[in-house]
Amino acid sequence: LTNTGTLNVSGDALKTLNSLTLNNAGTVAWTGGGSLNGGNGAIFNNLAGGLFDAQNDASFAWFGGVPPVFNNAGLFRKSAGAGTTTFSNVTFTNSGTVESQAGVLNFAGGYTQSAGATNLSGGNIAATGTLNIQGGSLSGAGAITANVANAGQVNPGGVGAAGVLTITGNYSQTAAGVLNIELGGLSPGAQFDQLKITGSATLNGTLDVSTINGYVPNSGDSFQIMTYGSRTGTFATVNGNYTPTYNPTDLTLVAQ
């Protein structure tokens, strides 16, 4: 599909991609209640410059043979539907941009990002097992129902905006990983970022703290930037004039 082409996948009937590779450099609009099936080595490549727009609550599922793969190097977004769009037994790889703008994007077949961005922009994300951020960024405010492995960058609230990112699962950050926290006041979530983890936090890598909206903290101001069920490890590097205090269920920064 060329960059001037449009593929409308619509209606309530099931569509099947069998033993084929479909390359999209144009626009795919997926609407209606009809699910997609893939199998026997089927591959969907959303190429750089391509847009795949899921405007529904349907599933892309495996029907047999070698499970299908969805490779995104362009823009994949869920722009409509208050329910869940699910990739079931479909391996999803991202080197472009994935945006959850409505409802839930559920990567039940696994999710690996080598570069690019995963953004919560009004919607939430779920995954079976681990959301693997090997490069690029994970940003936004909302909920992730999965374990998260960060070897890239995590930006609660997004860049330039304070917010809360909640992980229902475990969070592990490698030596290459960066957690970016922005401070714009003393109100958690509304004025400064928080990362909330229901399970365990395994910490390493870098904590990068910056200010937004012209905010200047006073000495002694404190910011509870993380909560967790349990914790092992600490950040190897903390950028910013703050003292980290690792409590049993939270991490608090104190301005120097």
Side-chain angles (χ1 to χ4, degrees):
L1 195 65
T2 70
N3 60 2
T4 58
T6 299
L7 172 62
N8 293 309
V9 184
S10 61
D12 293 329
L14 177 69
K15 288 84 178 174
T16 299
L17 184 65
N18 186 6
S19 307
L20 299 174
T21 296
L22 197 160
N23 294 318
N24 173 48
T27 298
V28 175
W30 184 17
T31 62
S35 293
L36 305 176
N37 269 2
N40 297 320
I43 299 173
F44 195 109
N45 292 319
N46 195 43
L47 304 175
L51 167 63
F52 191 109
D53 190 7
Q55 304 171 28
N56 55 6
D57 300 321
S59 63
F60 191 144
W62 171 46
F63 71 81
V66 178
V69 174
F70 193 107
N71 299 312
N72 179 59
L75 171 59
F76 178 92
R77 70 186 180 203
K78 175 175 168 62
S79 63
T84 302
T85 298
T86 301
F87 285 81
S88 180
N89 293 312
V90 178
T91 298
F92 195 107
T93 68
N94 180 47
S95 60
T97 300
V98 170
E99 292 186 349
S100 181
Q101 299 178 348
V104 179
L105 262 176
N106 183 12
F107 301 101
Y111 185 91
T112 299
Q113 177 175 289
S114 59
T118 300
N119 300 322
L120 285 73
S121 306
N124 300 311
I125 289 177
T128 299
T130 300
L131 203 71
N132 285 300
I133 308 300
Q134 297 178 350
S137 63
L138 170 63
S139 304
I144 297 175
T145 304
N147 298 326
V148 174
N150 176 30
Q153 303 210 20
V154 169
N155 307 306
V159 177
V164 178
L165 182 61
T166 300
I167 297 173
T168 301
N170 303 322
Y171 175 78
S172 61
Q173 181 169 311
T174 71
V178 179
L179 174 62
N180 295 305
I181 296 293
E182 294 176 324
L183 309 177
L186 294 174
S187 178
Q191 293 181 315
F192 71 85
D193 291 335
Q194 282 188 314
L195 180 62
K196 293 187 174 182
I197 303 151
T198 64
S200 64
T202 303
L203 304 181
N204 201 341
T206 299
L207 170 63
D208 194 86
V209 186
S210 61
T211 59
I212 56 175
N213 303 324
Y215 177 63
V216 179
N218 294 313
S219 178
D221 284 350
S222 64
F223 310 88
Q224 186 192 59
I225 62 164
M226 292 184 72
T227 63
Y228 36 73
S230 62
R231 175 194 57 83
T232 57
T234 60
F235 292 108
T237 302
V238 177
N239 294 327
N241 198 26
Y242 305 90
T243 300
T245 300
Y246 295 91
N247 300 309
T249 58
D250 74 86
L251 168 58
T252 297
L253 298 178
V254 178
Q256 298 177 7

